[in-house]
Amino acid sequence: KAGVTQTPRYLIKTRGQQVTLSCSPISGHRSVSWYQQTPGQGLQFLFEYFSETQRNKGNFPGRFSGRQFSNSRSEMNVSTLELGDSALYLCASSAGTGVLYGYTFGSGTRLTVV
Amino acid sequence: EDQVTQSPEALRLQEGESSSLNCSYTVSGLRGLFWYRQDPGKGPEFLFTLYSAGEEKEKERLKATLTKKESFLHITAPKPEDSATYLCAVSFITSGTYKYIFGTGTRLKVLA
């Protein structure tokens, strides 16, 4: 059974650019959550999508957005990149009850903003 | 403020030297406490979920316990391959919405 797939694994962008990250959840999982992980702040929740609808949102500026497609694949977009956006971006999938039974994470996309 | 605190931040053990990691939380309406293991360059890997005080779960050399204010992850006779960052997370309901927050983790290094 394939796990959660995130692409690309590594990305280098220039300040002011925008970036799109992709996540394919485990087959059959309809919930996809996104997290930002940095050494200082740990894992910070960005947003969660379930059946193409945003179900929950963290405290991040509007430059961070996401969407989910009908096949449950999800994308996350960050516009007008700042140096502080450099982080590991993790995607997690669940069958819909991750808050009760836990999540399966991908290996992440390492974003470096220069 | 809803918060999850893990201690210690880092821990070095000799192989076979048992110890415990702590996860304390200040949330109301707890629905579950979760332990994950994260290896460098990878995403967190789910280990356990605990739902109520007094509950215990075991997996190989790991045993997780839960009280009303904290959870412990006991590592018995650790091996070098147990070296990783261990994260805890809690799910709870606030203002009618589920929240899921992580602690900052304990970096465990087991020396051969």
Side-chain angles (χ1 to χ4, degrees), chain B residues 17-110:
Chain B
E17 180 186 2
S18 301
S19 187
S20 295
L21 282 52
N22 178 264
C23 171
S24 63
Y25 56 93
T26 53
V27 305
S28 53
L30 181 78
R31 289 296 179 266
L33 186 139
F34 305 78
W35 284 98
Y36 292 83
R37 168 194 170 125
Q38 186 174 22
D39 293 299
K42 296 188 176 181
E45 175 189 348
F46 173 78
L47 293 173
F48 305 110
T49 308
L50 302 165
Y51 296 105
S52 57
E55 189 174 359
E56 300 181 350
K57 294 268 179 78
E58 284 189 71
K59 181 179 181 180
E60 296 181 359
R61 295 177 292 282
L62 301 176
K63 179 180 177 180
T65 62
L66 181 64
T67 72
K68 288 188 177 180
K69 294 292 184 186
E70 59 191 347
S71 176
F72 292 93
L73 184 65
H74 308 278
I75 304 177
T76 302
K79 298 181 178 182
E81 53 262 43
D82 294 322
S83 298
T85 295
Y86 290 86
L87 299 161
C88 75
V90 297
S91 68
F92 57 100
I93 292 181
T94 181
S95 303
T97 304
Y98 267 107
K99 299 293 183 186
Y100 198 86
I101 59 175
F102 281 84
T104 52
T106 293
R107 295 188 311 278
L108 174 66
K109 177 72 173 177
V110 182

Side-chain angles (χ1 to χ4, degrees), chain A residues 18 36 39 60 63 69 88 94 104:
Chain A
Q18 75 165 13
Q36 181 195 68
F60 277 80
R63 300 185 296 107
F69 301 96
L88 180 66
S94 73
T104 303

Side-chain angles (χ1 to χ4, degrees), chain A residues 35-112:
Chain A
Y35 286 85
Q36 181 195 68
Q37 186 174 33
T38 58
Q41 297 295 316
L43 276 139
Q44 301 289 310
F45 172 72
L46 282 154
F47 27 67
E48 179 186 14
Y49 286 87
F50 181 82
S51 293
E52 302 179 66
T53 300
Q54 188 179 88
R55 189 158 70 172
N56 211 342
K57 189 176 186 304
N59 297 322
F60 277 80
R63 300 185 296 107
F64 292 81
S65 63
R67 59 178 176 170
Q68 186 180 33
F69 301 96
S70 59
N71 62 357
S72 293
R73 190 177 70 85
S74 177
E75 288 182 348
M76 191 193 94
N77 184 273
V78 188
S79 62
T80 318
L81 284 165
E82 301 176 359
L83 297 178
D85 297 332
S86 295
L88 180 66
Y89 289 87
L90 292 161
C91 167
S93 81
S94 73
T97 52
V99 291
L100 294 178
Y101 301 116
Y103 293 95
T104 303
F105 282 83
S107 293
T109 294
R110 172 74 63 185
L111 172 65
T112 302

